[in-house]
Amino acid sequence: MGIVLALLLLVAYTAINQPRFLGTQSITDILLNTAILAVLAAGTAVVVITRHIDLSVGSVLGLSAFTVATVMQGNPGLPMVAALGLGLLIGAVAGVVNGVLVHFGNVPALVVTLGTMYAYRGLTYSWAGGRQVTADEVPRHFLAFANSAFLGVPWPVLIALVVIAGAGLMMRNYRIGRELYAMGSSPQAAGLAGIRIARNTLIAFMISGALAGLGGVLHASRFGTVDAATGNGFELQVVAAVVVGGVAVFGGSGTIWGAGLGALLLTVIGSALAVLDINQFWQQAIVGALIVLAIGADRLVAVRIARTLRKRDSHV
């Protein structure tokens, strides 16, 4: 509720000062940019709920975007469905590698995904060198996908809504989702309860990687020109969207819908501050302050819940 209120206040303030902020093209750009960020945030939220983190999503996005653009450049007759499938496959493989290293290597996810972030980025740089795939080198239907719509809704936005709804439904209504929440709440208790930690860890990282790969395809289709630096630093925006969206950094709570709203809020903030001609430094400072506030609120709620539970137990 707090995110929605902050979002409405920001939109109202910006629209009053700059009416063009609510123009059709401006809203379309915000929705398209939000769609890519929200797809990645949904996957990262699944990992964070299990008390892990995935810092490699920006590099996976870049690897997927460059691979798919290169394949489409050499095979202009490939349908868009094949491009989306290839992106999902690349991301899923990268995610499984992360999951294997985290669980079977018994290495903290922060360390593993920080390493694979550089490894996947290095792989893309090694392959691409200084080369880039430009918009005039990929087939027209690939570029048109991001700007075309189904029933008036742009395809990337529709895909993002399906991803968020599907992941949200999985986490809320299915056993695998409840097990992922249980792992984040207490890994030791989850293990004692018979939850298959290894399988679920691999699934969580595979989902995160696959959605990062899907985001890479959407990014390549929307912007056309990609190189080895595509998606560089994007992981910080994704983590920020997840945290601002209310997913606890210590695992066990938060929703996929919240992560999607966090992505929308960050995109609107970036667009609003740009329209208001706010200095780039202050844009980053405001986003940073939001993250700190979100983490502070998260800890405050956790402390209050723990205190309430202790009082309740003392009366039993």
Side-chain angles (χ1 to χ4, degrees), residues 18 36 50 60 103 125 132 142 156 168 185 190 235 272-273 281 283:
Q18 294 288 347
I36 298 173
T50 64
V60 174
H103 183 77
Y125 270 110
Q132 63 176 197
F142 181 71
S185 297
E235 58 278 349
L273 296 182
F281 166 77
Q283 294 183 30

Side-chain angles (χ1 to χ4, degrees), residues 112-153:
V112 167
T113 57
L114 185 64
T116 54
M117 177 183 77
Y118 285 111
Y120 297 150
R121 181 66 63 189
L123 177 63
T124 311
Y125 270 110
S126 176
W127 178 21
R131 187 170 65 91
Q132 63 176 197
V133 180
T134 58
D136 59 350
E137 295 175 332
V138 294
R140 185 165 297 179
H141 73 273
F142 181 71
L143 288 179
F145 178 78
N147 296 312
S148 57
F150 178 73
L151 298 177
V153 181

Side-chain angles (χ1 to χ4, degrees), residues 9 33-34 36 43 67 95 103-104 110-111 118 137 151-152 172 205 212 218 232 264 269 292 307 312:
L9 288 174
N33 291 335
T34 298
I36 298 173
T67 302
H103 183 77
F104 295 102
L110 177 67
V111 177
Y118 285 111
E137 295 175 332
L151 298 177
R172 180 184 174 90
F205 277 99
L218 298 179
N232 198 7
L264 177 61
I269 287 175
V292 172
R307 188 178 300 165
R312 185 182 302 171

Side-chain angles (χ1 to χ4, degrees), residues 173-238:
N173 293 5
Y174 286 85
R175 178 174 179 175
I176 178 66
R178 309 317 301 172
E179 289 184 353
L180 294 176
Y181 275 109
M183 288 168 55
S185 297
S186 176
Q188 293 79 13
L192 292 173
I195 292 176
R196 289 185 283 182
I197 304 294
R199 184 202 66 169
N200 291 352
T201 301
L202 292 180
I203 289 175
F205 277 99
M206 184 182 69
I207 291 173
S208 178
L211 293 182
L214 176 62
V217 181
L218 298 179
H219 188 284
S221 175
R222 171 154 167 68
F223 297 102
T225 299
V226 296
D227 56 25
T230 297
N232 198 7
F234 203 64
E235 58 278 349
L236 297 181
Q237 295 182 49
V238 175

